[in-house]
Amino acid sequence: MNRVIVVGGGLAGVRTVEALRRKGHEGEVLLVSAERHRPYDRPPLSKAVLAGDADDTTVEVDWDELRCEMLLGERATALRPGDPCGGTVVTTAGELEFDGLVIATGAAPVTLPGHGAQRVLRTIDDARDLRARLTPGVRLVIVGAGWIGAEVATTAARKGCSVTVVEAADAPLSGAIGPEVGALTARWYGEAGVELRTGVKVAAVEPGALLLADGARVPADEIVVGVGVRPELGWLDGSGVETDGGVATDAALRVTVAGAPRSDIVAVGDCAAWWSNRYGRRLLVEHWDTALNAPAVAAATLLGEDAVYDPVPYFWSEQFGRMVQYAGHHQGAERVLHRGDPDGSTWSVCWLTGDRLDAILTVDRPRDLVQARRVLTAGTPVDPDLLADPERPVRETVKA
């Protein structure tokens, strides 16, 4: 394999470059990134960068040692796969031929209709620009009480902004962890001085206000939209690449083109919907842990090695002074079990099917999270009655 092109300059892209070199690839590697910045970490954008505790999250990489050419500020516009292998990536810098291709174009934030100014938080420039606007007394309206919305609200409230969060669902985090568990976090907003308005649908963003579906207006100096992202797939139109919410891959992260899996084309990161043998379905997990760990499998597949990516999904968030962590996949679980009092300072929620632990959400209980991840990975059954005792370590609830 002479030339590998990595399309996407996020964490998934750079980690794939590193994995290729670590596994002995000696050919040319070219990274194409629509951003003008070198690859950087995104999780700190809504935390340390927005708070002003950091200004640069560039991934520490020795590019000379990696022997990787970078085309920064250039965007892929089309893909022409070869038959039976290789092909051409069409970019704003010209046409680039490849022997191996890594699709790591990530996702773009969803925006709302309307002619008013709205901000999203996806890039380092987004974070720096928004940070400059978070001054005492600024009326900030956030659309979406998901992970990003809660994190932005946390920082803005600490900076003295007047913060209102508008959420279409009946509870925060409904899409991520369900309304029953999401409702347990609602009180955090009021305690932080943030107004939370749930069950409210937005019609449009207007100059100086958010127009709601019922015709009411919420005055705002700044409006931040955090209602999710969509994988960047437009450049693949007409290429024959199969999609399923994201770029559809098998368990080895191989992409299917015109009905046939291709070992010379892989997808990783926020744009990849990978097949999970563990869960019997494709998963689109738009979190840092996937971008960090999937590239090793992608690189192995490109180099002809046998590899499978099938982890227990994991993500985390810092909001309103709490560390919130989640592991597993709770869709289809039979019931919810509480470990500790949700009105207290630390607690966990477990999703179970029979005696199988499907997922766990922890609030300032890192030991629960660490031990539950091991149980989830091993798939060992647990005793639900023992698991309900917050004083008992999770590892001691495993059935003999």
Side-chain angles (χ1 to χ4, degrees):
M1 185 172 291
N2 295 320
R3 176 193 255 189
V4 175
I5 295 180
V6 179
V7 182
L11 182 66
V14 66
R15 292 308 185 207
T16 306
V17 173
E18 290 181 316
L20 284 167
R21 292 306 190 201
R22 187 169 60 249
K23 291 178 177 295
H25 175 62
E26 294 295 335
E28 182 181 354
V29 178
L30 173 62
L31 184 143
V32 180
S33 175
E35 290 200 56
R36 60 184 178 84
H37 303 285
R38 290 192 171 193
Y40 57 86
D41 261 336
R42 296 188 191 278
L45 301 185
S46 57
K47 303 174 183 70
V49 175
L50 198 60
D53 298 329
D55 197 56
D56 184 9
T57 66
T58 302
V59 178
E60 293 186 8
V61 172
D62 187 335
W63 291 101
D64 290 334
E65 182 179 346
L66 289 178
R67 292 172 285 120
C68 176
E69 179 184 354
M70 287 188 290
L71 290 179
L72 301 180
E74 304 291 354
R75 184 178 295 275
T77 59
L79 171 63
R80 296 200 298 265
D83 186 11
C85 60
T88 302
V89 175
V90 182
T91 77
T92 51
E95 296 188 358
L96 306 171
E97 295 183 356
F98 66 84
D99 302 295
L101 175 65
V102 180
I103 300 175
T105 41
V110 175
T111 56
L112 299 176
H115 300 293
Q118 56 183 296
R119 296 180 181 274
V120 296
L121 186 54
R122 183 67 180 175
T123 70
I124 186 72
D125 293 327
D126 292 337
R128 290 168 179 166
D129 290 346
L130 177 58
R131 181 179 64 193
R133 301 297 301 161
L134 299 183
T135 56
V138 164
R139 297 173 301 175
L140 175 69
V141 174
I142 301 169
V143 183
W147 303 114
I148 291 294
E151 291 178 0
V152 173
T154 298
T155 298
R158 287 175 176 167
K159 288 178 173 288
C161 301
S162 174
V163 185
T164 300
V165 177
V166 175
E167 169 58 49
D170 292 330
L173 297 171
S174 290
I177 58 177
E180 177 187 352
V181 179
L184 301 177
T185 71
R187 67 179 179 86
W188 300 349
Y189 290 77
E191 292 172 355
V194 174
E195 180 184 4
L196 173 63
R197 300 175 62 176
T198 58
V200 177
K201 292 180 171 55
V202 174
V205 177
E206 296 184 337
L210 191 67
L211 176 64
L212 305 182
D214 63 4
R217 286 175 170 79
V218 183
D221 300 311
E222 297 289 340
I223 295 174
V224 175
V225 177
V227 295
V229 297
R230 292 195 183 102
E232 288 273 20
L233 306 179
W235 69 286
L236 299 173
D237 290 349
S239 66
V241 169
E242 180 183 339
T243 60
D244 183 10
V247 178
T249 82
D250 63 9
L253 303 180
R254 285 182 293 241
V255 170
T256 295
V257 180
R262 295 277 296 260
S263 295
D264 61 324
I265 304 178
V266 296
V268 289
D270 290 357
C271 69
W274 42 274
W275 179 262
S276 169
N277 294 323
R278 182 188 301 273
Y279 298 107
R281 55 170 292 180
R282 281 202 173 90
L283 298 180
L284 183 67
V285 180
E286 297 153 336
H287 291 287
W288 182 85
D289 196 65
T290 301
L292 179 69
N293 294 310
V297 172
T301 296
L302 280 180
L303 298 178
E305 301 176 10
D306 291 330
V308 170
Y309 184 67
D310 200 13
V312 171
Y314 165 76
F315 58 86
W316 60 278
S317 174
E318 295 174 354
Q319 46 186 270
F320 306 112
R322 298 166 175 85
M323 171 62 78
V324 183
Q325 296 173 285
Y326 174 97
H329 184 71
H330 68 271
Q331 280 75 11
E334 292 178 349
R335 66 187 178 113
V336 173
L337 179 151
H338 294 268
R339 281 174 59 83
D341 183 0
D343 289 329
S345 58
T346 71
W347 47 273
S348 298
V349 169
C350 302
W351 286 266
L352 295 104
T353 298
D355 60 2
R356 183 189 71 219
L357 179 63
D358 292 320
I360 187 169
L361 177 86
T362 67
V363 177
D364 286 333
R365 289 181 70 94
R367 187 174 70 168
D368 276 11
L369 189 285
V370 170
Q371 294 182 12
R373 282 184 81 178
R374 295 183 183 131
V375 173
L376 288 163
T377 300
T380 48
V382 297
D383 185 319
D385 292 333
L386 296 180
L387 188 62
D389 179 1
E391 300 304 317
R392 184 179 294 272
V394 172
R395 68 171 179 267
E396 293 183 6
T397 69
V398 173
K399 289 185 175 180

